[in-house]
Amino acid sequence: MEKLQGTSMNIVQDNVEKLKQIFPEIFTENKIDFEVLKQLLGEKIEEDKERYSFTWKGKTQARKIAQETSTGTLRPSKEESKEWESTENLYIEGDNLEVLKLLQKSYYGKIKMIYIDPPYNTGKDFIYKDNFKDSLDNYLTITGQKSKNSTGGGGGKN
């Protein structure tokens, strides 16, 4: 029987091993020489600071947390599950990032889809406004396609 290590996948070490296989020449004393990597990648290096990107305050810290090894355990709840013996679906409740890190090692390449429900607006305690319905008339006014004094129309500026 295989002994479980009780930790999530070490993402950093896994990435380093992949780089060693693809670019063995970038390693010096078991560390990465980024200048050599840049030479090997040629024009594929983005050095312009002004570019489109998906970012937010705290993204760097979030990446660091995502790379930390987790030691949690996922425990099945057979009593709360439906058709436990025959289903191919799992319902998991927990912190999204921790659960994903724990799933990565054991279920790598075996999962087709994961639905993640953000941890807000659950129950009756609505923290974030998520209803952005607006009338067409107001939208046209806000976007300058219609003046505030105009009535009807909406085909252009009045």
Side-chain angles (χ1 to χ4, degrees):
M1 183 173 179
E2 182 184 346
K3 183 177 179 181
L4 299 176
Q5 294 176 347
T7 60
S8 66
M9 188 168 127
N10 185 330
I11 297 169
V12 174
Q13 189 58 41
D14 186 59
N15 287 337
V16 168
E17 293 303 320
K18 288 175 185 173
L19 282 173
K20 278 184 183 177
Q21 291 200 358
I22 300 169
F23 303 111
E25 61 272 35
I26 69 172
F27 287 87
T28 303
E29 297 180 16
N30 213 25
K31 294 195 176 184
I32 297 171
D33 184 334
F34 280 101
E35 291 306 315
V36 174
L37 181 59
K38 283 182 181 181
Q39 291 168 6
L40 294 172
L41 295 176
E43 295 178 11
K44 297 294 181 182
I45 302 290
E46 177 61 74
E47 295 185 21
D48 190 355
K49 298 295 180 204
E50 292 187 20
R51 60 181 180 256
Y52 292 106
S53 66
F54 182 61
T55 190
W56 62 90
K57 183 169 177 50
K59 184 175 182 178
T60 301
Q61 183 63 23
R63 276 194 178 131
K64 287 178 184 177
I65 292 169
Q67 293 175 349
E68 292 174 358
T69 303
S70 295
T71 57
T73 302
L74 297 175
R75 294 191 185 128
S77 179
K78 293 182 181 182
E79 310 79 47
E80 295 178 26
S81 301
K82 292 185 179 181
E83 301 175 23
W84 175 259
E85 298 298 327
S86 63
T87 188
E88 293 184 7
N89 302 305
L90 296 174
Y91 172 80
I92 301 170
E93 187 174 332
D95 177 77
N96 291 343
L97 179 58
E98 288 299 309
V99 168
L100 289 172
K101 289 192 312 185
L102 293 168
L103 285 173
Q104 186 175 23
K105 191 173 186 179
S106 300
Y107 290 91
Y108 188 79
K110 298 175 185 174
I111 296 175
K112 284 185 187 178
M113 169 135 2
I114 296 175
Y115 292 101
I116 296 178
D117 188 23
Y120 56 84
N121 287 358
T122 56
K124 295 178 183 170
D125 184 20
F126 289 100
I127 300 168
Y128 299 101
K129 178 184 175 189
D130 62 358
N131 184 348
F132 299 100
K133 290 182 184 175
D134 200 356
S135 69
L136 176 60
D137 195 47
N138 190 47
Y139 170 77
L140 293 173
T141 302
I142 290 171
T143 58
Q145 298 178 56
K146 178 181 168 186
S147 69
K148 289 183 181 182
N149 300 344
S150 137
T151 58
K157 285 190 175 185
N158 294 326

